[in-house]
């Protein structure tokens, strides 16, 4: 296990977040667009709702402001709010889904943002799955590509927001969005910190990550396999899967406070805590 000692001792501070979520009112697994989804196994809708309520309650207990976009019938994956947009101080970028099954979510999110003072929302020309693949870490904007969002979208986002995107290629279909392979632990530009599963990236991207974050926390297969990387951090508390026990230990050693939240029913759609959470940074 490669972890470096320097940031492990850093003092951690919680920053209040403003997040957007979407209740799993119409959640189900009726199509399969990632390896986690199995349309043959029925989803326990009540359980999914109770787990999602639990996630929301944890955010509120941690002092975060939670806003909720109304769920739209016929859009079961809308619960994964991270894919709804990328909202930064430089502007809001909407999304364009690769799969037609999710296409309708794009306007639902864009309109909600515009109605709540977070517009204008740029409607992308290229496939772009929002914060699932575009993660802000201090002054860096990391862009995943290989499965959903394309490199063309990274260039488009650069133009719209006027800030560079570092493109990282994902190579393992289980980790099809960047937020399934990498957790932003601290997005403070003074001391940015990330954790990632190296096996999810191609060699060139691993080198890029090593250069950008030489002290990053590296996670193992056991963590990645339970979608452990799909976690939400406020700089101190890290909301993650209770199955990611090794990851929780690593986080503790680094000064973070792991906050386990069971979202097993939502994992059936291929998402965890981060997938259900869009951070509004304006
Ligand atoms: N079923 C959804 C899909 O395949 C899950 C999305 C998970 N979201 C995320 N940010 N990783 O698109």
């Amino acid at each position: 296990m490669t972890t470096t000692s320097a940031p492990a001792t850093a003092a951690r501070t919680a920053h209040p977040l403003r997040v957007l979520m979407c209740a799993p009112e119409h959640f189900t697994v009726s199509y399969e667009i990632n390896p986690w989804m199995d349309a043959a196994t029925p989803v326990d809708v009540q359980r999914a709702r109770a787990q999602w309520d639990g996630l929301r309650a944890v955010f509120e207990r941690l002092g975060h402001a939670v806003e909720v976009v109304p769920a739209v019938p016929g859009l079961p994956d809308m619960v994964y709010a991270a894919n709804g947009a990328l909202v930064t101080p430089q502007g809001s970028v909407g999304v364009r889904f690769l799969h037609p099954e999710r296409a309708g979510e794009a306007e639902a999110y864009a309109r909600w943002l515009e109605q709540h003072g977070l517009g204008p929302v740029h409607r992308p020309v290229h496939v772009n799955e929002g914060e699932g693949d575009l993660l802000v870490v201090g002054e860096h904007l990391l862009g995943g590509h290989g499965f959903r969002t394309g490199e063309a979208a990274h260039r488009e986002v650069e133009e719209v927001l006027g800030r560079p995107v570092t493109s990282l290629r994902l190579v393992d279909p289980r980790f099809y969005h960047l937020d399934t392979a990498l957790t932003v632990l601290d997005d403070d530009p003074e001391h940015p910190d990330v954790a990632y599963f190296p096996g999810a990236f191609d060699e060139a991207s691993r080198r890029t990550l090593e250069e950008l974050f030489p002290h990053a926390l590296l996670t193992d297969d056991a963590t990645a396999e339970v979608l452990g990387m799909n976690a939400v951090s406020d700089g101190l508390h890290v909301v993650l899967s209770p199955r990611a026990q090794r990851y929780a230990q690593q986080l503790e050693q680094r000064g973070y406070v792991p906050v386990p939240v069971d979202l097993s029913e939502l994992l059936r759609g291929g998402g965890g805590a981060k997938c259900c959470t869009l951070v509004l940074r304006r």
Side-chain angles (χ1 to χ4, degrees), residues 54-55 58 61 238-244 248 257-263:
L55 177 64
V58 162
R61 182 168 61 71
V238 184
V239 177
L240 80 177
S241 165
R243 297 178 188 179
V257 179
V259 181
V261 176
D262 186 14
L263 295 170

Side-chain angles (χ1 to χ4, degrees), residues 31 33-34 37 77 80 82-83 97 99 102 129 131-133 148 176-177 179-180 230 269-271 274-275:
Y31 50 81
I33 58 172
N34 71 56
M37 300 173 88
D77 274 340
Y80 302 113
N83 299 125
F97 286 94
H99 299 96
R102 296 197 69 182
E129 300 204 352
E131 223 184 26
D133 273 322
R148 303 288 181 89
Y176 55 94
H177 278 141
D179 70 359
T180 63
N230 197 251
K274 178 65 194 84
C275 295

Side-chain angles (χ1 to χ4, degrees), residues 164-221:
V165 175
T166 303
S167 296
L168 301 167
R169 179 180 286 279
L170 298 163
V171 294
D172 183 329
R174 292 172 302 167
F175 312 116
Y176 55 94
H177 278 141
L178 182 60
D179 70 359
T180 63
L182 183 145
T183 314
V184 180
L185 295 173
D186 194 338
D187 73 356
D188 190 320
E190 300 285 309
H191 41 81
D193 195 20
V194 299
Y196 63 93
F197 174 58
F201 298 93
D202 75 356
E203 215 183 295
S205 304
R206 285 202 295 267
R207 276 201 304 273
T208 303
L209 284 166
E210 281 162 22
E211 277 163 30
L212 288 181
F213 309 107
H215 302 294
L217 191 166
L218 305 188
T219 60
D220 54 18
D221 292 87

Side-chain angles (χ1 to χ4, degrees), residues 31-272:
Y31 50 81
E32 297 170 3
I33 58 172
N34 71 56
W36 304 82
M37 300 173 88
D38 172 13
T41 312
V43 168
D44 183 335
V45 177
Q46 278 185 343
R47 192 152 180 258
R49 178 64 202 229
Q51 291 178 340
W52 183 89
D53 285 341
L55 177 64
R56 178 184 181 164
V58 162
F59 284 147
E60 287 173 344
R61 182 168 61 71
L62 294 173
H64 305 318
V66 177
E67 297 185 61
V68 179
V69 54
V72 176
L75 297 175
D77 274 340
M78 198 174 163
V79 64
Y80 302 113
N83 299 125
L86 170 68
V87 180
T88 75
Q90 293 80 30
S92 300
V93 181
V95 298
R96 178 180 288 268
F97 286 94
L98 176 65
H99 299 96
E101 293 91 338
R102 296 197 69 182
E105 297 176 41
E107 268 309 294
Y109 277 99
R111 270 193 302 251
W112 187 94
L113 292 170
E114 287 178 338
Q115 284 161 6
H116 292 79
L118 295 164
V121 174
H122 171 77
R123 307 306 200 262
V125 175
H126 298 287
V127 170
N128 176 334
E129 300 204 352
E131 223 184 26
D133 273 322
L134 292 156
L135 294 172
V136 177
V137 198
E139 63 187 21
H140 304 289
L141 181 50
L142 306 179
H145 67 101
F147 295 103
R148 303 288 181 89
T149 304
E151 280 183 288
H154 298 170
R155 307 288 83 84
E156 186 179 358
V157 169
E158 285 180 336
E159 268 192 34
V160 175
L161 298 182
R163 57 186 288 185
V165 175
T166 303
S167 296
L168 301 167
R169 179 180 286 279
L170 298 163
V171 294
D172 183 329
R174 292 172 302 167
F175 312 116
Y176 55 94
H177 278 141
L178 182 60
D179 70 359
T180 63
L182 183 145
T183 314
V184 180
L185 295 173
D186 194 338
D187 73 356
D188 190 320
E190 300 285 309
H191 41 81
D193 195 20
V194 299
Y196 63 93
F197 174 58
F201 298 93
D202 75 356
E203 215 183 295
S205 304
R206 285 202 295 267
R207 276 201 304 273
T208 303
L209 284 166
E210 281 162 22
E211 277 163 30
L212 288 181
F213 309 107
H215 302 294
L217 191 166
L218 305 188
T219 60
D220 54 18
D221 292 87
T223 298
E225 273 164 16
V226 295
L227 216 64
M229 308 314 302
N230 197 251
V232 180
S233 175
D234 63 12
L236 171 64
H237 310 99
V238 184
V239 177
L240 80 177
S241 165
R243 297 178 188 179
Q245 290 175 10
R246 168 80 188 122
Y247 188 30
Q249 285 168 1
Q250 289 179 302
L251 289 167
E252 261 171 359
Q253 284 162 8
R254 226 172 155 83
Y256 295 100
V257 179
V259 181
V261 176
D262 186 14
L263 295 170
S264 56
E265 215 53 34
L266 290 156
L267 186 59
R268 288 164 179 259

